[in-house]
Amino acid sequence: MDPGRPGTGTPPRGVDQEFLSLERELTVLLRRARASQGEMAREVHPDLESAAYGLLVRLEECGRQRATELAAYIGIGKATMSRQLRALEHLGLVAREPDPADGRAWLVDLTEEGRTRVGRVREARRGRYVTQLSHWERAEVAELARLLNQLNRGMAR
């Protein structure tokens, strides 16, 4: 086997083991997160697209917003955002209303049905975290949350 070649099990020369470990663990975490997001989306509504779940969570956390703000936060284009919002409206999970500050713009918010469904799913997810991490100290959970927040802020730059 040739050390440093992909597929040989040997890390490339000059690569820090810490960053290889980080890449590996993030890959596993992201794969699991995508699967979990799909499950949570289906729990909110059987016809809900996985990608739209994040929009609902953002609206629950931040309240009504313009579609352009949501698109920028999620990192998608206006056309994709419009399509997702139409689907969410059709499912009765969000509603649009004119923006009082700008009559040309619309604000999007969860409907009561949307708020109830998203809240129920998020509460169940938090319960799963409590169970899965029950052997952790609360300080460890807080530290993980702090480090993930730091990572997310750094990646947003």
Side-chain angles (χ1 to χ4, degrees), residues 1-65:
M1 285 195 184
D2 183 6
R5 277 195 41 230
T8 64
T10 304
R13 288 182 191 94
V15 175
D16 295 327
Q17 285 299 317
E18 297 85 358
F19 288 97
L20 286 172
S21 294
L22 174 63
E23 189 270 339
R24 180 179 47 255
E25 297 305 325
L26 282 175
T27 298
V28 171
L29 178 66
L30 293 172
R31 184 173 15 91
R32 288 183 178 154
R34 278 191 298 274
S36 178
Q37 182 171 331
E39 292 170 13
M40 290 181 292
R42 286 185 296 281
E43 288 176 27
V44 170
H45 194 285
D47 297 329
L48 182 64
E49 288 184 28
S50 176
Y53 179 78
L55 293 174
L56 297 176
V57 168
R58 179 69 175 179
L59 288 169
E60 183 193 41
E61 290 178 348
C62 298
R64 64 186 187 167
Q65 295 184 28

Side-chain angles (χ1 to χ4, degrees), residues 71-85:
Y73 175 78
I74 300 292
I76 60 176
K78 289 185 212 177
T80 301
M81 178 57 62
S82 292
R83 183 185 59 76
Q84 286 186 352
L85 290 176

